[in-house]
Amino acid sequence: MKHISDKNIIPFNNNVDYCVGTGRMGLALQKEYMEQLKFVQDGIGFSHIRGHGLFSDDMAIYHEYEENDETKVEYNFTYLDLVMDSYKEVGLKPFLELGFMPDKLSSDTQTIFYWKGNVTPPKDYKKWCNLVTATLKHLMERYGVEEVITWPIEVWNEPNLPGFWKDANMQEYFKLFEETFNAIKGLDSRFKVGGPAICGVEDELWIDEFMKFIDGKNLPVDFITRHHYTTKEHTFKGHYSYAELEDPEFRFNNLKTTRKIVDSYSKYAGLPIHITEYNTSYSPDCVIHDTNLNAAYLAHHLSRLGDDTTSYSYWTFGDIFEEKGVPFAPFHGGFGMVANHSIPKPTYYTFAFYKKLKGECIFRDDDLIVVKANDGTLRGIAWNICENKSDEKTVKLPVSIEREAGEYSLIQKIVDESTCNPLKIWHDFGEPRSLSADQIDVLKTAATPLIKSDILISNGNVEFELEINPNGVIYFELMKCNSTPDRGYEYK
Amino acid sequence: MKHISDKNIIPFNNNVDYCVGTGRMGLALQKEYMEQLKFVQDGIGFSHIRGHGLFSDDMAIYHEYEENDETKVEYNFTYLDLVMDSYKEVGLKPFLELGFMPDKLSSDTQTIFYWKGNVTPPKDYKKWCNLVTATLKHLMERYGVEEVITWPIEVWNEPNLPGFWKDANMQEYFKLFEETFNAIKGLDSRFKVGGPAICGVEDELWIDEFMKFIDGKNLPVDFITRHHYTTKEHTFKGHYSYAELEDPEFRFNNLKTTRKIVDSYSKYAGLPIHITEYNTSYSPDCVIHDTNLNAAYLAHHLSRLGDDTTSYSYWTFGDIFEEKGVPFAPFHGGFGMVANHSIPKPTYYTFAFYKKLKGECIFRDDDLIVVKANDGTLRGIAWNICENKSDEKTVKLPVSIEREAGEYSLIQKIVDESTCNPLKIWHDFGEPRSLSADQIDVLKTAATPLIKSDILISNGNVEFELEINPNGVIYFELMKCNSTPDRGYEYK
Amino acid sequence: MKHISDKNIIPFNNNVDYCVGTGRMGLALQKEYMEQLKFVQDGIGFSHIRGHGLFSDDMAIYHEYEENDETKVEYNFTYLDLVMDSYKEVGLKPFLELGFMPDKLSSDTQTIFYWKGNVTPPKDYKKWCNLVTATLKHLMERYGVEEVITWPIEVWNEPNLPGFWKDANMQEYFKLFEETFNAIKGLDSRFKVGGPAICGVEDELWIDEFMKFIDGKNLPVDFITRHHYTTKEHTFKGHYSYAELEDPEFRFNNLKTTRKIVDSYSKYAGLPIHITEYNTSYSPDCVIHDTNLNAAYLAHHLSRLGDDTTSYSYWTFGDIFEEKGVPFAPFHGGFGMVANHSIPKPTYYTFAFYKKLKGECIFRDDDLIVVKANDGTLRGIAWNICENKSDEKTVKLPVSIEREAGEYSLIQKIVDESTCNPLKIWHDFGEPRSLSADQIDVLKTAATPLIKSDILISNGNVEFELEINPNGVIYFELMKCNSTPDRGYEYK
Amino acid sequence: MKHISDKNIIPFNNNVDYCVGTGRMGLALQKEYMEQLKFVQDGIGFSHIRGHGLFSDDMAIYHEYEENDETKVEYNFTYLDLVMDSYKEVGLKPFLELGFMPDKLSSDTQTIFYWKGNVTPPKDYKKWCNLVTATLKHLMERYGVEEVITWPIEVWNEPNLPGFWKDANMQEYFKLFEETFNAIKGLDSRFKVGGPAICGVEDELWIDEFMKFIDGKNLPVDFITRHHYTTKEHTFKGHYSYAELEDPEFRFNNLKTTRKIVDSYSKYAGLPIHITEYNTSYSPDCVIHDTNLNAAYLAHHLSRLGDDTTSYSYWTFGDIFEEKGVPFAPFHGGFGMVANHSIPKPTYYTFAFYKKLKGECIFRDDDLIVVKANDGTLRGIAWNICENKSDEKTVKLPVSIEREAGEYSLIQKIVDESTCNPLKIWHDFGEPRSLSADQIDVLKTAATPLIKSDILISNGNVEFELEINPNGVIYFELMKCNSTPDRGYEYK
């Protein structure tokens, strides 16, 4: 029996809705992409969005041409405007990631991904800085200075991987960072600029060296960024990959270390740390992403992610994503909270549920978290992670909550393998690659939590039992119920 | 075990989507009304709509004024156009019911309903006929002659009740019918015109006398109309009424008798009979309408309603309805398939499910009906009616269906008291009269069928068991499954 | 030549968008009504809306029933919620007008309008006050206390007319005012409450007596309200009325007098005066409302209306209006800025243009008003009122505006009888009562201002000539133009 | 004076709405693209759409991979479904153009356009044919066999240009055609397949050789395709090009020759000829496309284009187009009828007007065309082409039309440089590259025809004068007017 009282307030930094990830900025031109994003914004509502490829050639920003035997530069913001207008329309600010390199500005030909993002340093740092400041200036003109300076700016992505930054050349990255940082602050010192956007490879070394570098140079960096993925090694097969989950504590400790390193530099102690990407698997074809297991694992994760960081941005909101090419099937292990045709995956609900967990945390353990809202409503999330078939069991969680005497409504939203599992329905349809309108309709209906309700009586405590099926996530609300039936009405 | 084979074709006249009822034509001006209607049309899609009050004063069609000491008549079709345009927009044709009487044209002051429909004969039959033909002529100009002549026309509503037709004066009704009939046929003989739109009070007498009358007058009437309600006597309390259900066979026999009477007149043998209203209770405040019991009872009913009739029009699609005044609460025992804010009630799904039962019927008994679609898919509906708490039990229905060897997808949509019961959720919320956006969202999520899927193997027969909870309705589809996983994909 | 310089700042209270009028609250349930309102809100955007009939029986709020030989009261807020939700959806707060009397609460049977609003005092003032406070309490629960206390409240409508308030009984009105005022302030003293909502009949007497009354009683009234119509006597013919316009100065003086009377009471000096209704004609069938003349006359009027008042609410936004019955034709002299099917009338643009006149006024005379916006853009409106055919002439208005040297864009939007006159097109169609989709399309296209643009050069002054056709209204913007052609582009 | 009588019926093949062009199929994934397409479909409504790049790599259809030391092929229809679903949603069928070559299937590296379409023959014709038939089979499964076989299929694009087909190798094209043709007919012989999709370079030679080839091979080709552009040589400057118009007769003769060549092969005499691309300039940066001159020139052109051809597909509907890269400015000489943000260019109205010219042609000369609709309405289009500033003059066209005595409504829609010229407004705004919401609003308002109306009296003839400004296009309707004013209404 879990005893819960709102007399105990527990620190809980719920910043689940600060930022969300997206494949590549150029994909934001797509209709299906925007429909998925609108769906996510209507149902959850993030504040920021971060993705790669702002300067990649499909955005068509950077151009050079010859005139009078001279190479001249010109910028094209036609597509940038379309993308930023679309983000604004759905209530999002960009968390700007500066990268990758326009072909014409690149020092070499190395690319990453199916869509060929150039990952080499600029051939000319002055031209790079001009590109950055010209782009920011344009945005400031179009969207207003006071607005644009609130958009966080991160320099490059995962320079600690040779695939993302040529040779994972640390000194070259520091140079890029410093030049870019100074150029932006020169434009308007109120911009918030950070890095180094690394993932979990040699991360401690990189963070430490980065801190040393900015400390030495006395750069007033505004925040530190890193990534966070929580699966073990992948095996690859055809278009797919498979991976086991890591012990979450292992990765939470990793974050704690990052926090400690940063705080060890007195100038930077307490500096915000943003996780600018996280998910279970880092591979956009890993079957886990479409499962209820993913939803349950993340439900636990989200109860803790803010402990050592300021924010954390789920990678990614939707399934329009081309890093390994265009997926062949609607369920393909993509990062998205929603599959194409805006079919929510179980993980979508983990986010929708945490979005509602605003207020004072009054209980948190490894199965359950409870928050008290301003109006006195209690909201909680419970989960039951069962990675292996053999461990699958339904968990019964008896709960006792101190509440003054009276009637209470208990509303539960239940997402588990039998109530909200579009992946299984799709599988049982025969795994069709093209969905008919009818199949989409069935899948959307299936991708809905089951609702359960009760009226409970408190005599000082409200007692009930949460029954959580394998890989289930349950959201509940407990609120005062003042039943005043209409004249003559008798419910059954 | 129910043995089903598509070698047996059973007669089944599924006309569930021919027509649906609506409170009063003037209410079709309302935004909330049209949103509910659009919801119903998107999800089900009826062909016709029938309601009262075409000529009632809120539609503002009929006017008299004095000029040069003469009383002149003028017509105003402003609101009629708005209503008909709206119907057209959602794909509906009107099943025109001619009534009630404009105040200025009435012979007396007797009214019915909170909204005061005048139920007296015209003071001047010529003016009445002119009103009818002027209205039709206007519609023909606006919507095209060829279109408008396909709209069925019914003369008045329930003249066998003194509340609906002064003194339930049969001879006066026959006069009204004859004059109106001749006026319409005089305008265009291709119009389809019928009556007498009676309900179950002295119905056999009325039908017989009506047939005698038209037979004697040699009127080439196009169809016969009557109503069909299936509850016993109501008790009233405050704003509500309560009633028990009748044995369905009793009422089916009633319809059979109507059929026999009509067929006994050789000129009219086989004439279409339209049920222009049906429901369980005839009272717009009867708590049964909002329940799963209603959905299950109607699931059985719809398997049989077409046996002796051509069509049957559920009374009504939505809950904007004012016969007893404006309801005080969102769930108030209204006739609607959907409650205000377009929250579907369980009964909505009974209709959505029958809508899909097009094809050849291959099985029908008192629990189950199965149809084979053109593309070979089998679709079925099963139900479990439990009117009394004490009778409640879950029914297990083992089914065996002849199918050639291979894999089959079985998709079930389950609507019962625990999976799709917005009434209970609303009750557990404390029966709020005003719903918050959040409550509406929870109620809509709750008002969704649970989806279950399986892959089954046939070795000549596909066998499975339907498990139907009390007052549950289950819709299922069984179709060939050709699973062709994407390269490398392994479902769990 | 008009010489304009932004060195001269002229007082100009532009509150054109504070409030707009609407026929009757119950009509807000209608779809067509809401579409017109959405159109107006998208194009103009008012803050408040005020109309009659909050307590009339079609809103169905007040009910009495008998129980245990006692008369009990109950309230029904189903329709009120629908209306208020709709207003909120389009960004409007209500300017609440308390009236008319529910039949059950009335002391007599006198009604006004086709829709029969009861205009008699309450049979029981306590029940009336309970109705008012119960309604406000309900609104506070649904929309939040802090929000609802910002909604201004006006007691009754035009009690100085015997048609609107039985016998125009002044003392009875004062009683109603005092009781209601105290009841509301007792609920929450932060509510803003005012009256007496009179029109121009014996208005000075009423205002003076009202001030005397509240002064004597020491009531801390929050604002004074009155109406303002500007046509001479009407002649009536069939469904229509005809009237000549008054000299605007005559009516402006009328407002000045009201201001003086109010200010003469020291306790109330400077109290806000809201014009809660104004238009040219006060009759909803006066042909002037659909004309360009109306637009031009109001263009002048709006340059002055705020001089002695805080706000002014145009009566009405749209043509769904039933005071004299349902109009027979799309153009019928209705009050609306937009005709049915959301066809804007010329007057709509007068409002759309004034909406943009925010900033510092730098010029105002009887032909022209110019305002300088924060970003330096100049915006102006010019008009040419020609009531009589014989006076019709095109006016040429040479203008010289001090601007620093450089290029300027001049954009004109021209609304006159030849560029934006849907009434004429409709007339030339043969005045059809039912509009086809094609005709609606042509009328909407016709109801669009003509746009004219130029690039002008300033050498200290920008000079241009506005050419205003009879009954024309011209809106213009003058802004710095920094032409930077794309590489290689040459405009003809 | 032009004398017009509906006694003279003139042959006129108005197929203006049969097909429209689009840049590249992959662009149909874009939101802005689909908004423009929806705008065009709502306002005009084409039946088919044709564009390049079905098999280009951004559509991601064709893939090869290695398995067990073998190269295997797989297809991905994810994006194809999104595109085809979008087309279906706006009522369009594809006119399928088979091309360009997937990189993996190509025999060489030559590409065309900024977006790098590979224009080399397949490295393996069998794999190419498999790709074609697999794609068609997939479409047949998803959209139905009976539907898909109605989609015309054209083999490749402009093989007569070395830029579009390596070396403009005629024999290689014939091989491609034959193999493809046979593969498709083998799948379903009801498919309609044609070619050779050439433009005006050595066109007579190519048509003749193509006919000879199919004649020799006895291929039952279903239609012949070619392109049609009507400007002289271009000069290029920066991002732009400039060109003069050709004498239209010159190009009409060109079409006549094509017709003659085809008809000279007895087996193919009368075979449909589809112009699968036409416009004034063939360059997507030619300033003429945005002008009123373009609209007027095409108004003349459309009166004649069907004389020798079955259909003609304007290149292109909108301005999302990347052949020369992403345009830097909203008006950039693009092919589109609408500019970005769905701002219609003058040419859009030429199409909207011709769309309404259905019925019997009763007059056609070099200034004017008139058609009589089924309901007796006369609809006409007149134009005034003024390519050179020095030739600009307003044309007055007196018209006399035989009509029985009575009143007639004349409605004119006027598109010319002063009434509907968004390009000029944009220029006068200073040619901004990024448009603000306000500027878009002004441009859309400006891009609306001026409407003029009159009532004319016929005494056997209706006489009026069309006044056409330079580069103006006037559409008019003349219809019987039965004015029946509402009671009491007098239009000023």
Side-chain angles (χ1 to χ4, degrees), chain B residues 12-17 302 306 312 354-358:
Chain B
F12 172 48
N13 169 32
N14 183 5
N15 218 350
V16 66
D17 55 349
L302 285 170
Y312 29 96
Y354 268 94
K355 171 75 182 193
K356 289 185 164 279
L357 239 59
K358 303 277 172 163

Side-chain angles (χ1 to χ4, degrees), chain C residues 237 242 409 428 453 486 488 490, chain D residues 237 242 409 428 453 488 490:
Chain C
K237 191 176 161 201
Y242 298 83
S409 298
D428 289 344
S453 66
D486 190 14
E490 280 166 28
Chain D
K237 191 177 161 201
Y242 299 83
S409 298
D428 289 344
S453 66
E490 282 165 27

Side-chain angles (χ1 to χ4, degrees), chain C residues 237 239-240 242 356 409 424 428 431 433 438 445 448 453-454 484-492, chain D residues 237 239-240 242 356 409 417 424 428 431 433 438 445 448 453-454 484-491:
Chain C
K237 191 176 161 201
H239 298 132
Y240 292 87
Y242 298 83
K356 289 185 165 279
S409 298
K424 174 177 168 30
D428 289 344
E431 301 180 9
R433 314 235 183 130
D438 222 42
T445 304
T448 306
S453 66
D454 287 288
T484 51
D486 190 14
R487 183 157 60 92
Y489 188 73
E490 280 166 28
Y491 179 74
K492 252 211 306 228
Chain D
K237 191 177 161 201
H239 299 133
Y240 292 86
Y242 299 83
K356 289 187 164 278
S409 298
E417 293 178 350
K424 174 176 167 32
D428 289 344
E431 301 180 9
R433 315 236 183 130
D438 222 43
T445 304
T448 307
S453 66
D454 287 288
T484 52
D486 190 14
R487 183 158 60 92
Y489 188 73
E490 282 165 27
Y491 178 75

Side-chain angles (χ1 to χ4, degrees), chain D residues 156-372:
Chain D
W156 212 257
N157 180 69
E158 301 193 356
N160 60 326
L161 292 187
F164 273 106
W165 180 243
K166 203 182 156 216
D167 305 327
N169 184 329
M170 195 188 277
Q171 293 317 313
E172 190 77 32
Y173 176 72
F174 291 168
K175 181 175 179 195
L176 180 81
F177 184 86
E178 183 181 11
E179 299 259 358
T180 310
F181 183 90
N182 288 331
I184 298 170
K185 291 285 187 175
L187 181 61
D188 193 315
S189 64
R190 294 170 298 173
F191 274 112
K192 304 286 176 234
V193 188
I198 53 156
C199 65
V201 174
E202 300 209 318
D203 50 340
E204 298 185 13
L205 173 72
W206 269 76
I207 291 285
D208 202 33
E209 292 295 322
F210 182 72
M211 295 309 300
K212 214 173 289 172
F213 173 74
I214 63 174
D215 195 40
K217 293 274 187 175
N218 237 325
L219 296 180
V221 166
D222 298 290
F223 54 82
I224 298 302
T225 61
R226 65 159 298 156
H227 299 167
H228 176 81
Y229 289 95
T230 53
T231 39
K232 299 180 189 161
E233 216 157 306
H234 288 59
T235 55
F236 292 91
K237 191 177 161 201
H239 299 133
Y240 292 86
S241 72
Y242 299 83
E244 279 173 34
L245 289 162
E246 281 177 319
D247 177 358
E249 298 306 330
F250 172 68
R251 285 293 169 194
F252 289 142
N253 280 330
N254 199 208
L255 296 177
K256 204 171 285 300
T257 305
T258 301
R259 180 75 266 168
K260 272 185 198 154
I261 296 172
V262 172
D263 290 352
S264 71
Y265 290 80
S266 61
K267 263 183 251 160
Y268 302 100
L271 205 65
I273 298 174
H274 295 293
I275 299 180
T276 49
E277 289 183 21
Y278 73 100
N279 202 323
T280 49
S281 156
Y282 52 76
S283 196
D285 52 12
C286 185
V287 292
I288 197 173
H289 293 127
D290 301 334
T291 65
N292 290 86
L293 168 61
N294 207 65
Y297 184 87
L298 281 164
H300 172 244
H301 229 74
L302 285 170
S303 74
R304 302 272 296 280
L305 260 182
D307 286 1
D308 288 304
T309 66
T310 298
S311 82
Y312 30 95
S313 177
Y314 187 67
W315 188 256
T316 64
F317 78 87
D319 263 2
I320 291 291
F321 193 89
E322 298 183 352
E323 294 193 354
K324 291 199 167 180
V326 178
F328 283 63
F331 288 85
H332 55 268
F335 292 124
M337 293 175 196
V338 296
N340 286 359
H341 311 289
S342 296
I343 301 165
K345 303 182 191 173
T347 298
Y348 168 87
Y349 290 104
T350 300
F351 284 87
F353 295 166
Y354 267 94
K355 171 76 182 193
K356 289 187 164 278
L357 238 59
K358 302 278 173 164
E360 290 179 326
C361 184
I362 60 172
F363 186 89
R364 180 170 71 166
D365 67 10
D366 276 347
D367 304 310
L368 175 65
I369 182 165
V370 182
V371 156
K372 183 182 166 187

